[in-house]
């Protein structure tokens, strides 16, 4: 697990342009990205404490991936459905 988290940390630093920098020097310029990265970290921390419950652990990993996907531009099915129903909801 520690190897996985270390690898993820290195990859995030590479993407953020701070391959050799410590975590305090990584510059996140958008508030939205910072919030999503904090969401991802929180989900990974909750995942660490939920290994004995496979369903909960899987949900936390999915939440972390979804937060990163919102930064990278991955489109989630839930996002598409939310957009459709918010614009075309019957009864508005």
């Amino acid at each position: 697990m520690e190897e996985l988290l270390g690898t993820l940390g290195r990859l995030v630093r590479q993407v953020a342009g701070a391959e050799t920098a410590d975590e305090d020097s990584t510059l996140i310029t958008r508030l939205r990205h910072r919030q999503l990265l904090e969401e991802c970290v929180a989900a990974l921390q909750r995942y660490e404490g939920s290994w004995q419950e496979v369903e909960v652990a899987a949900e936390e990993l999915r939440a972390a991936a979804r937060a990163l996907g919102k930064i990278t531009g991955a489109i989630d099915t839930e996002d598409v459905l939310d957009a459709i129903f918010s614009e075309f909801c019957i009864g508005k």
Side-chain angles (χ1 to χ4, degrees):
M1 178 48 63
E2 290 195 24
E3 184 179 338
L4 171 65
L5 292 175
T7 300
L8 286 173
R10 282 191 299 282
L11 290 172
V12 168
R13 284 191 294 280
Q14 287 174 351
V15 169
E19 292 181 45
T20 59
D22 62 43
E23 64 185 53
D24 293 331
S25 66
T26 302
L27 180 63
I28 307 297
T29 58
R30 295 178 185 243
L31 177 60
R32 178 180 165 272
H33 289 178
R34 175 173 296 282
Q35 290 168 337
L36 289 167
L37 287 172
E38 288 171 354
E39 234 178 85
C40 177
V41 168
L44 289 173
Q45 289 170 338
R46 288 189 306 268
Y47 164 77
E48 283 186 308
S50 65
W51 298 331
Q52 63 277 13
E53 299 176 55
V54 176
E55 297 85 3
V56 174
E59 179 57 30
E60 296 302 348
L61 287 177
R62 190 173 74 82
R66 187 175 44 232
L68 286 179
K70 288 180 180 179
I71 294 171
T72 62
I75 298 174
D76 188 24
T77 305
E78 292 177 28
D79 293 333
V80 173
L81 291 175
D82 286 344
I84 290 170
F85 285 113
S86 70
E87 293 179 23
F88 301 106
C89 184
I90 298 173
K92 279 193 170 182

